[in-house]
Every structure is written in structure tokens, then in C-alpha cells.
Amino acid sequence: MLYTTIAALAAALLLFTWLGLRARLADGGLDDFVTARNSQGSRALGLSFLASGMGGWILFAPPEIGALVGPVALAGYAIGAALPFIVFGLCGPAIRRYLPQGRSIGEFAQACYGNTVRRYVSLISVLYMLCFLTAELTAIGAITSLLSDVNGNLAVLGVAIATLVYTAWGGLRASIVTDQWQAALLIALLGIVGFAVAGQLPELELSEMPAAPVGSAIGVAVTLIIAVTAANLFHQGYWQRLWSARDVASLRSGAVIGGLATIVVVAVVGSFGIVAATSGVDLGSPPIPFFALLAGASPWLALPALILALTLVASSVDTLQNAFASLAVTEKQGLSLASARWITVVLMIPVVLVALEGISVLRLFLIADLLCATAIVPVLMGLWRRMTTQAAVMGGLAGLAGAIAPGWIAGGSLVAGLEAASFPGAIPTLWPFVGALAASALVSLALALLSPAKAR
């Protein structure tokens, strides 16, 4: 079984690499490498949004939320995962009109507010994506060790190298083409695993249905919606796809397709957690409901589940790799295509080293999410004529203060506020996110209204 598993994993990675290398545009320059400008239809974009937004995380977080908190919080998670695509569908046309030759969230911030805000926004984006990339590679290592006898480090290196080969050569086009195949594969594999597990379940006990108090469940749902939406709006990979759309209609349709598909996939995977809780299986410590269900199913299911995990991780990793190259190119004017490729390679080295250590980055992930929540409203308000650089900067600072304020008020000191905003125990809490969003929005709005409208 060991050699069969290795062969299956290698075959999947070779397939993704072949598809990615074939997608390269022979005469494409640097702009095509990072944006594939005006080339993608709605179906390609929709499947790409789905695949690039998914990752190994969906096999852990949604089932755990479903098992421990219940369907209300799971619905919040599904909506939060899909909402960034809907926001891009709504705001994307205006962003494309405002910056038709744009390539990154940093360039958008510069066009609206200048260089200082651009650097801050790009820094937040890089921090968030580094956490995301490290978490994904760490996840595939852990899942491989859990479901097979293969050393998890081999899976980490395999995914990192294979995706690096085709994204460094083919750029965004390679990522989007492989995303479409990976989206189809993950849906098929999820169906196979789901039907196989469902056919071998013991009788469900509805009395064991997870149901946290409604207030708590809604609080968790709102927290997840804010955190996931704010963070993903700083995902440079999604901004690249905004300009890759063939036209505005393709962008809007693609965003709807990606959003609806994401809701369905997250809800289905999360429902495994609810099923695990009601079937009485041991969820483990820490809880891993999806894998707890697999433990009681037929041994052959481990292989399709592992290929599913590999597909999920590869689809998010290739997007993040090209996103880093895109940000580097737009931050450093005059970089060549070869330089962009080498930057992608160099950035992967520390990420892979951390992933090989298997260190949890969940707390850092939550802090990065909160930083995104402090700045996303001022950034998107740049589309408003009255918005100014001063209003954006002060709004961002107010967001930072708003993130700290709930803990400060509850704990009676600045130290308590800072501690609460750093999520001790890596447990997400609602009020820092609410404070960040509310303060940044109110201050930005107030200062903008007091300022004359900008000339466009």
C-alpha cells in the first residue's frame, strides 16, 4: 500500500505540473505572467475562485465547527468563505474602471492614497498569505502522515516543488488552468468519500446533534464571516483574477459561480462534523471529525481522501506562489520576468522549512486576519470620491485601536487589550473584529465627509 500511495500522489502532482506547463503563453510577457489580463471567461474564473479559495483547512475547520458548535456557525463559515468573491463581483467592475492596468491590491492602494498606504497594505497582504501558505503545506504533511505510511515531509516537498515548477514557468495562466481541473477533481473525490462514508455509518442519534446556545452560535458565525472575509480581501491571488477576467460580465458571473460553489463545498465538508457528532464516533483530541469518520470506514477510502487533500492544498499553494511574485513585481519597478520567477522560488524556501517543522501558525493566522479587518474598509472606500489619504490612514489607525478597545475595556488595561487582540489559546473571539471594522469605518467616513471630494 505504501508504494501505491506514493505512486498515486506522484501521479496527481505530475498531472498538475503537466497541465500548468502547457498553459504558458509562449509570447507572454511580465504583465501576462502576473495578470493574464482580459483572458478568462466566467466558468474559468468561477472554478478558479473555488479551487484557489479551498485548501487543506476545509478538512479541519468546517467539520470541527459543525461538530462542536452546530449548523448555525457552519453556515457562517460557508458564507464567510464565499463572501470575498461576491465583494469582488460587486466592487471589481469599479476597481477595473478606476485602475484598468492594475495588477495588485498595492497598486490600487497607491492610486487611491499614495505610497505609504500602499506599503502598509502590501505588508498586511504578505503577512496573511505567508500564514496561509505555511498552514497549507503544514496541513498536507500532517494529513499524509495521518492517512498513510508515507512520511509527511515528502508530501510537503512534493507539493511545494511541483506547484513551484509550473507557477514559476507559466504564471497566473498556469494557476487558473490547473485550478479548473483541481476544482473538478476535488468535487468528484469529495463525492466519492462522502457517499462511501455515508454508506457505512452507524445509526445517527439526533439527540447528539451539536447545538450551542443560539447567541453563542451566532457570535461564532459572525466572527468567522468577518475574519474570513476581511482576510481574503487581502489575498493578492484574488486581486489578480479581477484583472484576468475577459470583461465585467465574466467577472460578475465568475464571482457568483465561485461564491455559490464555495458555500456548497464548505457546507458539505462541514456536515461531516455534524454527522460525526451524531454518530457517536470519538472525535479525537484535538477534534478532527472528518478523519474520525474515515477511521471507521473502509481502509481503501484513505487513498482518495489523501488525493482530495493533496488537490485542495495544491490548488491554494499555486495561487499563493504566483500572488507573491505578482506583489514583488508591482512593489519593485523594473523587475524582469526571470526575476519574478526567482522571487517565487526564494520566497518558498523559508515557508517550506517552517512547514517541515510542523509548527502551528493558527494564532499568527488570527492576528493577520485581525490586521486585515482593521484596514479593509478604508482600502475599499478608495472608490468613493470623497475619500482622502488622511481619512484612510486615520481609519486604519482607528481600526487598530478598535481591535484593542474591547479587551482594554473588559480587562481594565492596555496590556489586557493587546492580549485579547492576540487571541491567547488561538481561539477566535468576536469583539476585536467588530471593534476593528466599526472604528475604521466610522472614522474613515467621518473624515471623508469633512473633506472636499477628490478629482477623479
Side-chain angles (χ1 to χ4, degrees):
M1 188 64 179
L2 172 64
Y3 295 111
T4 302
T5 303
I6 292 174
L9 294 177
L13 291 174
L14 287 172
L15 172 63
F16 299 153
T17 303
W18 178 70
L19 291 169
L21 293 177
R22 286 181 69 244
R24 177 178 176 263
L25 194 64
D27 58 349
L30 183 59
D31 186 70
D32 189 79
F33 183 84
V34 297
T35 67
R37 193 177 304 278
N38 302 330
S39 65
Q40 304 299 314
S42 58
R43 184 183 64 84
L45 281 174
L47 292 175
S48 184
F49 276 136
L50 169 65
S52 59
M54 296 295 97
W57 62 270
I58 73 165
L59 301 181
F60 291 95
E64 184 176 350
I65 293 295
L68 302 183
V69 189
V72 173
L74 176 59
Y77 211 140
I79 293 169
L83 201 53
F85 308 139
I86 305 305
V87 172
F88 277 119
L90 294 173
C91 297
I95 294 172
R96 282 171 59 110
R97 286 193 299 270
Y98 184 58
L99 199 64
Q101 295 303 310
R103 294 178 292 184
S104 72
I105 185 175
E107 285 187 342
F108 176 72
Q110 181 180 31
C112 294
Y113 305 122
N115 252 335
T116 302
V117 176
R118 170 188 182 149
R119 292 192 183 98
Y120 180 64
V121 166
S122 296
L123 179 64
I124 294 176
S125 180
V126 167
L127 175 60
Y128 167 67
M129 292 194 299
L130 279 173
C131 293
F132 195 164
L133 185 53
T134 306
E136 284 300 304
L137 290 175
T138 302
I140 192 56
I143 293 170
T144 301
S145 297
L146 185 65
L147 294 180
S148 73
D149 295 326
V150 178
N151 188 319
N153 287 345
L154 292 178
V156 172
L157 292 171
V159 170
I161 293 171
T163 53
L164 195 56
V165 166
Y166 68 77
T167 53
W169 182 253
L172 183 59
R173 285 181 185 270
S175 178
I176 291 176
V177 167
T178 53
D179 280 347
Q180 295 172 65
W181 286 89
Q182 288 159 348
L185 186 57
L186 77 87
I187 291 170
L189 288 170
L190 187 58
I192 292 171
V193 172
F195 280 116
V197 168
Q200 301 179 44
L201 284 175
E203 185 176 347
L204 302 183
E205 295 290 339
L206 294 182
S207 60
E208 299 296 325
M209 173 74 75
V214 174
S216 298
I218 292 175
V220 172
V222 174
T223 303
L224 292 169
I225 290 172
I226 295 173
V228 175
T229 302
N232 281 334
L233 288 174
F234 275 87
H235 192 320
Q236 167 63 13
Y238 299 156
W239 283 80
Q240 288 174 275
R241 283 154 178 77
L242 186 155
W243 285 289
S244 74
R246 184 177 297 135
D247 48 39
V248 166
S250 297
L251 175 60
R252 286 176 174 153
S253 299
V256 171
I257 293 170
L260 292 177
T262 297
I263 288 174
V264 172
V265 170
V266 173
V268 168
V269 177
S271 67
F272 283 110
I274 297 175
V275 170
T278 54
S279 66
V281 301
D282 180 10
L283 300 182
S285 182
I288 46 173
F290 180 82
F291 300 100
L293 278 179
L294 286 180
S298 298
W300 68 267
L301 264 182
L303 185 56
L306 184 53
I307 300 299
L308 169 63
L310 184 83
T311 302
L312 288 165
V313 172
S315 64
S316 59
V317 167
D318 65 24
T319 298
L320 289 160
Q321 287 171 337
N322 190 252
F324 280 122
S326 172
L327 268 182
V329 165
T330 56
E331 288 300 307
K332 182 69 174 177
Q333 299 297 322
L335 279 181
S336 65
L337 181 55
S339 299
R341 288 171 173 151
W342 278 111
I343 286 169
T344 308
V345 174
V346 170
L347 280 173
M348 283 300 294
I349 295 174
V351 170
V352 169
L353 291 176
V354 173
L356 290 174
E357 294 297 320
I359 299 171
S360 172
V361 293
L362 179 56
R363 188 177 185 185
L364 186 59
F365 219 149
L366 289 169
I367 294 171
D369 287 353
L370 185 58
L371 278 175
C372 294
T374 67
I376 191 56
V377 173
V379 169
L380 292 180
M381 285 179 70
L383 293 170
W384 185 29
R385 286 181 176 274
R386 299 197 66 91
M387 195 61 180
T388 65
T389 301
Q390 180 190 34
V393 171
M394 296 306 295
L397 292 174
L400 292 171
I404 298 168
W408 191 344
I409 293 169
S413 70
L414 176 59
V415 173
L418 290 169
E419 184 178 4
S422 65
F423 304 103
I427 298 172
T429 48
L430 174 61
W431 292 109
F433 287 102
V434 171
L437 276 182
S440 63
L442 289 172
V443 170
S444 296
L445 179 63
L447 292 177
L449 289 173
L450 294 172
S451 305
K454 292 189 298 183
R456 280 285 196 255

